[in-house]
Amino acid sequence: MSVLLTATCAVPAAGAVLTAALPAGSSESRRRTTKAVALGVSAVTLVLAAVVATRYDPHGARFQLNESYSWIRSFGITFSLGVDGIGAVLALLTAVLVPLVILASWHDADPEPTGPDGASGPGTSDPATFERRRRTQGFFALILAVEAMVVVSFYATDVFVFYVFFEAMLIPMYFLIGGFGDRAGGPESARQRSYAAVKFLLYNLLGGLVMLAAVVGLYVTAQDQGFGTFDLPTLTSAIADGRIQLTGATEKALFLGFFFAFAVKAPLWPLHTWLPNAMGESTAGTAVLITAVVDKVGTFAMLRFCLGLFPNASKTFAPAILVLALIGIVYGALLAVGQKDIKRLVAYASISHFGFIIMGVFALTSQGQSGATLYMVNHGLSTAAWMLVAGFLISRRGSRLIADYGGVQKVAPVLAGTFLIGSLATLSLPGLAPFVSEFLVLVGTFTRYPAIGVVATFGIVLAALYALLLYQRTMTGPVKDGVRSMPDLKARELAVVGPLVALTILLGVYPKPLTDLVDPAVNATLSQVHQTDPAPAHPVAATSGGERK
């Protein structure tokens, strides 16, 4: 039995413990050691995740590299890991982003003077107090802990194991938002960070509690029919061939319990309101972890668990979910247009993009689901680039307000150029990665639900509006006073943005490596819900004699 998946999950977990245990101190050398260890651990995780993706055979079994370790035998719980194409791709995305987040956040946990009331800024002079509150070791250990839990979630093939790590990742994220938030928020930032962190935790805990009830209900229902297990392949197979019978009401209730938790995490309108607060009050790196890594677990789980375990309920609720997704697309884009805060604009744009992803999942077509999976990856790359460059911009000016910027391209052309690429990727410009996935989602939706597909295209128009307006207001025009001395991107920052830009362009012109990995898993998912792609309509029919009318 291979231990590759366990190693991929264990390395960041062990790295988190090691990083947290490093000697504390105010010296630059100790902080540099902490950062180097965290970066090295994330690099090793990236190598392992890449090996997993390359060893996965798209023409082989659905789940490969399987591992299983007994955990709680009396309830049939095993620590089971296995990877399909979708999980392999999303785990690789996580492993790519975390080293870049660590590099981008290199100075986000450095101490700065603070006063007795916790406010930072000029005139305060207690670095030791701030060191305790903003400990470098803790910050990077929390990032690695999030990575470990997310990777386990993508590889888990035991429903209970998935649930445990689905919920456990909330703890490090809570501390990253509340304890290591944005420094550009002014005197009220500490209270705003606390509010955002608590709101994030409460929303997601509520979703998790509902899911826990559904997990228990699924286990009891399966046990009554001779399947006392949480093993996902066993359950999906038994449900598909009728060995486990779920009545209509039971299946719908269990589906809603799972879906509610995933819709909060994703997030789907109207359960989205925690995201603008969380992203707005986080550091840029933490905001990327939220929207490009953690939130992807929600949309991934809709594919793997909702459709696999509850196929009939998925088809029943698909039209209603598509309507909610459509509202999220338009609503998120409209609010993004009117934002005055850069980070909140990116947050509302992400809500709109998650609407496209969920729409692709529940269109129940191969194009839609392939597009949704690619969208998860491409949104992760493009939004990471956009948000991290925005973070570099904010760190230079000390403000998140769009009105405080202008003329940046004249003093920092490289920063402005990379920000433009992120903006163009966000609006799905052809030739960049998000275009491919958004096109597939719209085509897949239109073939089954043409009205929803047509209305969803307005989200593209609005995306062009908010992305280009943001660039125009911040990067063009007269140079504002606070921008005149702004430095351009440095070598470390270029090392962060460069790979994201390169991948966004590469996957925009050649997405085949990803589609080859995810298509077999998508086809397996569609077969579980007994769906096939709609037959194309032929406007001209042949007569019985073979002549056209």
Side-chain angles (χ1 to χ4, degrees), residues 397-442:
R397 178 67 175 83
S399 172
R400 305 198 307 252
L401 297 178
I402 298 173
D404 289 339
Y405 296 89
V408 173
Q409 66 181 12
K410 297 177 182 177
V411 297
V414 178
L415 188 154
T418 53
F419 193 73
L420 176 61
I421 293 173
S423 301
L424 294 176
T426 296
L427 61 85
S428 299
L429 182 76
L432 299 178
F435 170 77
V436 179
S437 45
E438 197 162 278
F439 178 79
L440 285 172
V441 166
L442 288 171

XYZ file of all heavy atoms in Angstrom, residues 397-442:
333
model
N 0.677 51.980 0.121
C -0.079 53.222 0.352
C -0.695 53.276 1.737
O -0.951 54.346 2.278
C -1.179 53.329 -0.720
C -2.089 54.536 -0.609
C -1.344 55.829 -0.882
N -2.256 56.964 -0.885
C -2.667 57.608 0.209
N -2.252 57.219 1.407
N -3.492 58.636 0.116
N -0.947 52.082 2.334
C -1.557 52.049 3.663
C -3.043 52.304 3.661
O -3.620 52.690 4.681
N -3.698 52.081 2.517
C -5.133 52.320 2.431
C -5.763 51.310 1.486
O -5.171 50.930 0.473
C -5.412 53.739 1.917
O -6.793 53.925 1.659
N -6.991 50.889 1.816
C -7.747 49.986 0.951
C -8.725 50.731 0.058
O -9.371 50.131 -0.789
C -8.526 48.965 1.784
C -7.684 48.148 2.751
C -8.417 46.897 3.192
N -9.729 47.131 3.722
C -10.072 47.022 5.014
N -9.148 46.697 5.906
N -11.308 47.218 5.415
N -8.866 52.047 0.239
C -9.856 52.824 -0.490
C -9.389 53.100 -1.914
O -8.278 53.583 -2.136
C -10.140 54.136 0.229
C -10.747 54.011 1.630
C -10.942 55.383 2.251
C -12.073 53.255 1.581
N -10.256 52.826 -2.872
C -9.924 53.044 -4.278
C -9.630 54.513 -4.547
O -8.730 54.856 -5.327
C -11.077 52.548 -5.168
C -11.284 51.043 -4.981
C -10.830 52.873 -6.634
C -12.521 50.501 -5.690
N -10.359 55.399 -3.869
C -10.201 56.840 -4.102
C -8.829 57.364 -3.715
O -8.440 58.459 -4.138
C -11.275 57.600 -3.335
N -8.075 56.628 -2.917
C -6.744 57.090 -2.498
C -5.666 56.798 -3.531
O -4.490 57.109 -3.301
C -6.359 56.429 -1.166
C -7.173 56.968 -0.007
O -7.719 58.077 -0.134
O -7.268 56.278 1.031
N -6.050 56.194 -4.650
C -5.066 55.823 -5.667
C -5.353 56.556 -6.970
O -6.444 57.055 -7.209
C -5.092 54.310 -5.910
C -4.685 53.508 -4.701
C -5.632 53.112 -3.759
C -3.360 53.183 -4.473
C -5.270 52.397 -2.633
C -2.977 52.467 -3.349
C -3.945 52.072 -2.435
O -3.584 51.367 -1.310
N -4.336 56.563 -7.809
C -4.451 57.174 -9.127
C -3.074 57.352 -9.728
O -2.137 57.771 -9.037
N -2.924 56.992 -10.994
C -1.656 57.188 -11.670
C -0.563 56.222 -11.282
O 0.614 56.479 -11.542
N -0.917 55.091 -10.715
C 0.105 54.144 -10.252
C 0.954 53.634 -11.410
O 2.156 53.398 -11.254
C -0.555 52.965 -9.504
C 0.466 51.889 -9.163
C -1.247 53.452 -8.238
N 0.362 53.484 -12.593
C 1.131 52.931 -13.708
C 2.297 53.826 -14.128
O 3.249 53.365 -14.757
C 0.214 52.696 -14.904
C -0.365 53.952 -15.524
C -1.292 53.641 -16.687
O -1.677 52.491 -16.900
N -1.674 54.658 -17.452
N 2.252 55.099 -13.751
C 3.340 56.007 -14.102
C 4.527 55.878 -13.159
O 5.656 56.182 -13.550
C 2.832 57.446 -14.091
C 1.749 57.710 -15.126
C 1.217 59.134 -15.029
C 0.108 59.353 -16.054
N -0.480 60.712 -15.951
N 4.294 55.426 -11.927
C 5.389 55.317 -10.951
C 5.769 53.867 -10.675
O 6.890 53.598 -10.219
C 5.021 56.033 -9.627
C 4.817 57.515 -9.851
C 3.781 55.419 -8.989
N 4.860 52.933 -10.927
C 5.139 51.507 -10.693
C 4.553 50.703 -11.849
O 3.535 50.016 -11.703
C 4.554 51.052 -9.359
N 5.178 50.758 -13.017
C 4.584 50.128 -14.209
C 4.477 48.611 -14.128
O 3.529 48.036 -14.671
C 5.533 50.559 -15.339
C 6.810 50.927 -14.654
C 6.422 51.468 -13.325
N 5.427 47.940 -13.487
C 5.344 46.482 -13.387
C 4.177 46.081 -12.490
O 3.415 45.161 -12.804
C 6.666 45.892 -12.865
C 6.560 44.381 -12.716
C 7.816 46.242 -13.808
N 4.029 46.772 -11.379
C 2.885 46.509 -10.502
C 1.587 46.726 -11.255
O 0.669 45.890 -11.202
C 2.963 47.420 -9.269
C 1.961 47.177 -8.136
C 2.532 47.664 -6.802
C 0.611 47.842 -8.377
N 1.499 47.822 -11.993
C 0.280 48.113 -12.745
C 0.047 47.065 -13.830
O -1.097 46.647 -14.070
C 0.375 49.507 -13.360
N 1.110 46.615 -14.484
C 0.964 45.613 -15.541
C 0.453 44.283 -15.019
O -0.431 43.662 -15.629
N 0.992 43.818 -13.900
C 0.517 42.553 -13.328
C -0.905 42.692 -12.797
O -1.707 41.758 -12.883
C 1.453 42.090 -12.204
O 1.624 43.149 -11.240
C 2.819 41.716 -12.752
N -1.234 43.873 -12.277
C -2.603 44.109 -11.816
C -3.565 44.083 -12.995
O -4.694 43.579 -12.880
C -2.688 45.451 -11.095
C -3.956 45.651 -10.309
C -4.166 44.974 -9.121
C -4.939 46.523 -10.754
C -5.336 45.154 -8.390
C -6.109 46.705 -10.038
C -6.306 46.023 -8.849
N -3.121 44.592 -14.148
C -3.961 44.566 -15.346
C -4.208 43.132 -15.797
O -5.342 42.772 -16.161
C -3.282 45.358 -16.468
C -4.007 45.348 -17.816
C -5.395 45.972 -17.691
C -3.191 46.084 -18.868
N -3.180 42.284 -15.759
C -3.364 40.890 -16.153
C -4.356 40.204 -15.221
O -5.237 39.447 -15.655
C -2.008 40.159 -16.162
C -1.116 40.722 -17.264
C -2.213 38.655 -16.376
C 0.295 40.178 -17.254
N -4.231 40.448 -13.910
C -5.194 39.889 -12.965
C -6.605 40.371 -13.238
O -7.572 39.598 -13.162
N -6.743 41.651 -13.596
C -8.069 42.202 -13.900
C -8.643 41.577 -15.162
O -9.828 41.225 -15.214
C -7.965 43.724 -14.068
O -7.466 44.343 -12.906
N -7.811 41.418 -16.191
C -8.289 40.825 -17.439
C -8.650 39.359 -17.252
O -9.604 38.863 -17.865
C -7.218 40.974 -18.522
C -6.901 42.400 -18.961
C -5.754 42.418 -19.959
C -8.137 43.080 -19.547
N -7.898 38.651 -16.415
C -8.242 37.259 -16.120
C -9.562 37.182 -15.380
O -10.382 36.277 -15.622
C -7.131 36.607 -15.305
N -9.802 38.124 -14.497
C -11.050 38.129 -13.741
C -12.258 38.311 -14.648
O -13.320 37.729 -14.398
C -11.010 39.242 -12.680
O -9.965 38.951 -11.745
C -12.316 39.351 -11.932
N -12.121 39.098 -15.698
C -13.248 39.282 -16.620
C -13.260 38.232 -17.728
O -14.030 38.336 -18.679
C -13.249 40.699 -17.200
C -12.046 41.171 -18.028
C -12.159 40.754 -19.480
C -11.950 42.696 -17.941
N -12.398 37.216 -17.599
C -12.367 36.059 -18.517
C -12.042 36.456 -19.955
O -12.745 36.080 -20.902
C -13.700 35.297 -18.461
O -13.931 34.798 -17.173
N -10.970 37.192 -20.103
C -10.509 37.557 -21.434
C -10.052 36.304 -22.181
O -9.320 35.482 -21.634
C -9.345 38.548 -21.329
C -8.784 39.074 -22.661
C -9.722 40.113 -23.249
C -7.389 39.652 -22.467
N -10.470 36.121 -23.442
C -9.976 34.970 -24.211
C -8.452 34.946 -24.268
O -7.808 35.978 -24.463
C -10.583 35.215 -25.601
C -11.823 35.997 -25.337
C -11.485 36.893 -24.174
N -7.901 33.752 -24.105
C -6.458 33.590 -24.046
C -5.937 33.455 -22.637
O -4.787 33.048 -22.444
N -6.784 33.763 -21.638
C -6.419 33.575 -20.238
C -7.279 32.460 -19.648
O -8.394 32.193 -20.112
C -6.588 34.880 -19.454
C -5.728 36.048 -19.941
C -6.007 37.309 -19.121
C -4.236 35.710 -19.874
N -6.767 31.812 -18.613
C -7.354 30.563 -18.123
C -8.844 30.649 -17.775
O -9.614 29.736 -18.132
C -6.546 30.063 -16.919
N -9.317 31.679 -17.080
C -10.742 31.677 -16.705
C -11.703 31.664 -17.889
O -12.849 31.216 -17.740
C -10.886 32.976 -15.894
C -9.524 33.213 -15.329
C -8.589 32.781 -16.417
N -11.259 32.128 -19.051
C -12.160 32.125 -20.216
C -12.602 30.706 -20.568
O -13.776 30.460 -20.854
C -11.471 32.771 -21.420
C -12.236 32.588 -22.703
C -13.356 33.358 -22.974
C -11.856 31.623 -23.628
C -14.074 33.172 -24.152
C -12.570 31.431 -24.799
C -13.683 32.213 -25.067
N -11.666 29.775 -20.547
C -11.977 28.392 -20.928
C -13.045 27.817 -20.018
O -14.045 27.231 -20.471
C -10.700 27.527 -20.887
C -11.025 26.087 -21.250
C -9.634 28.091 -21.808
N -12.847 27.987 -18.718
C -13.783 27.389 -17.767
C -15.142 28.081 -17.806
O -16.181 27.410 -17.742
C -13.192 27.452 -16.352
O -12.636 28.709 -16.079
N -15.150 29.400 -17.928
C -16.424 30.110 -17.964
C -17.206 29.757 -19.231
O -18.435 29.594 -19.199
C -16.173 31.616 -17.888
C -17.397 32.409 -17.509
C -17.038 33.799 -17.021
O -16.678 33.945 -15.835
O -17.106 34.741 -17.840
N -16.507 29.611 -20.333
C -17.159 29.212 -21.587
C -17.795 27.831 -21.454
O -18.940 27.614 -21.853
C -16.125 29.224 -22.720
C -16.674 28.784 -24.048
C -17.427 29.648 -24.826
C -16.446 27.493 -24.518
C -17.939 29.239 -26.054
C -16.953 27.080 -25.738
C -17.699 27.957 -26.510
N -17.056 26.879 -20.882
C -17.594 25.527 -20.707
C -18.815 25.528 -19.787
O -19.804 24.825 -20.040
C -16.522 24.603 -20.150
C -15.430 24.150 -21.128
C -14.335 23.393 -20.386
C -16.023 23.283 -22.228
N -18.742 26.306 -18.699
C -19.883 26.377 -17.776
C -21.114 26.921 -18.489
O -22.226 26.387 -18.354
C -19.524 27.245 -16.550
C -20.786 27.623 -15.770
C -18.567 26.505 -15.646
N -20.946 27.994 -19.255
C -22.089 28.594 -19.940
C -22.645 27.657 -21.015
O -23.869 27.517 -21.152
C -21.673 29.931 -20.559
C -21.433 31.059 -19.555
C -20.828 32.272 -20.244
C -22.727 31.446 -18.848
